[in-house]
Amino acid sequence: MKAQELHGHLDALLLAVLEQGALHGYAIIESLRARSEGSLDLPTGTIYPALRRLERAGYVASTWSTVNGRERRTYELTDSGRRALAGERAGWHEFQLTVGRFLDPGSSSTTPA
Amino acid sequence: MKAQELHGHLDALLLAVLEQGALHGYAIIESLRARSEGSLDLPTGTIYPALRRLERAGYVASTWSTVNGRERRTYELTDSGRRALAGERAGWHEFQLTVGRFLDPGSSSTTPA
DNA sequence: GATCGACAAGTAGCGTAGCTACGCATGAAG
DNA sequence: CTTCATGCGTAGCTACGCTACTTGTCGATC
């Protein structure tokens, strides 16, 4: 799929990935690719700036470590980030419902199963 | 909801609205507002440029008419637009599925058919 | 008869966010 | 020695929706 249509939901995805445990940037990219079965193959130029955004916002915290002579910046979800993720989840569901009303065939009324 | 997160899906919504019949810009805005129960209250500065984009792309065709001394540009879905809508629907479903894998709580990973 | 609000269209300029295309560095493999 | 995978990062571009504004008619109110 075209990953560029993530607009506005990338942050939520990153928080969701980090919810399962701290990861460094490169591993996050691989995790997204794995869990989406290859659908989400995001370039570093997308992920790294996004992570810094999230850190500036206080949703994640990073720590440097050296593994095999390679510098790694490991990101971890903060409490604030956990709350943000909950909000993102709620926003996603509303978004999904609203757009689905127009794009899904038979889900007309407000009656989710 | 914050409408700015429509990113990439606005076109699909517009095509979906026009699928049910030709409408002019202002009426499209009202239709979106009505069918979304007020969630989508999009400004003209969003809709009109989007419609012209769709027209340039050949997905809609417009005709001028005058009603009560007021100029109306009525937009109609073209065959190409209908095909595009089908594609947008498919894209939406994949998007929904992919993001849902991360943001929905209990949706299993491999989606058994 | 002036003004206000709903209707109806449109543009200019802005900010955000993801993408492309780079650069830098290490270690393993050929 | 070159290439590839790992790992971080930035600069510049583009697309898109938003804010704020303009133009104009019509009906109602002041």
Side-chain angles (χ1 to χ4, degrees):
Chain A
M1 70 175 276
K2 286 181 290 180
Q4 39 265 78
E5 290 164 15
L6 283 180
H7 263 286
H9 303 286
L10 212 214
D11 291 3
L13 290 186
L14 292 177
L15 294 176
V17 167
L18 289 177
E19 192 186 25
Q20 317 216 311
L23 287 176
H24 61 281
Y26 197 87
I28 290 174
I29 294 174
E30 291 188 315
S31 177
L32 284 167
R33 189 167 44 221
R35 284 179 63 188
S36 70
E37 293 169 21
S39 296
L40 290 174
D41 197 357
L42 304 181
T44 67
T46 292
I47 297 302
Y48 291 125
L51 286 171
R52 319 199 105 227
R53 260 207 315 275
L54 292 176
E55 186 164 30
R56 265 202 310 277
Y59 297 155
V60 300
S62 68
T63 46
W64 281 101
S65 58
T66 305
V67 178
N68 293 333
R70 278 168 194 139
E71 295 290 301
R72 279 185 182 175
R73 183 176 238 173
T74 302
Y75 289 92
E76 195 180 357
L77 211 52
T78 64
D79 285 343
S80 173
R82 235 170 278 273
R83 282 191 296 273
L85 176 54
E88 293 278 6
R89 281 215 161 91
W92 163 250
H93 286 128
E94 190 174 355
F95 175 75
Q96 193 176 13
L97 206 135
T98 301
V99 178
R101 251 200 268 263
F102 293 90
L103 259 35
D104 286 338
S107 71
S108 48
S109 64
T110 39
T111 320
Chain B
M1 72 175 274
K2 286 181 293 181
Q4 40 263 79
E5 289 163 16
L6 282 178
H7 264 285
H9 303 286
L10 211 213
D11 291 3
L13 290 186
L14 292 177
L15 295 176
V17 167
L18 289 177
E19 192 186 25
Q20 316 215 312
L23 288 175
H24 61 283
Y26 197 88
I28 289 173
I29 294 174
E30 292 188 315
S31 179
L32 284 167
R33 189 166 45 220
R35 283 179 62 188
S36 70
E37 294 170 20
S39 297
L40 291 173
D41 196 359
L42 304 181
T44 66
T46 293
I47 298 302
Y48 291 124
L51 286 170
R52 318 199 106 224
R53 261 206 314 277
L54 292 176
E55 185 165 31
R56 265 202 309 278
Y59 296 155
V60 301
S62 68
T63 45
W64 281 102
S65 58
T66 305
V67 177
N68 292 334
R70 275 163 194 143
E71 294 291 301
R72 279 184 182 174
R73 184 176 237 172
T74 301
Y75 289 91
E76 195 179 359
L77 212 53
T78 65
D79 285 343
S80 172
R82 235 169 278 274
R83 282 192 295 274
L85 177 54
E88 294 278 6
R89 281 215 161 91
W92 163 250
H93 286 128
E94 190 174 355
F95 175 75
Q96 195 177 14
L97 206 135
T98 301
V99 177
R101 250 200 268 265
F102 293 89
L103 259 35
D104 285 339
S107 69
S108 56
S109 45
T110 31
T111 42

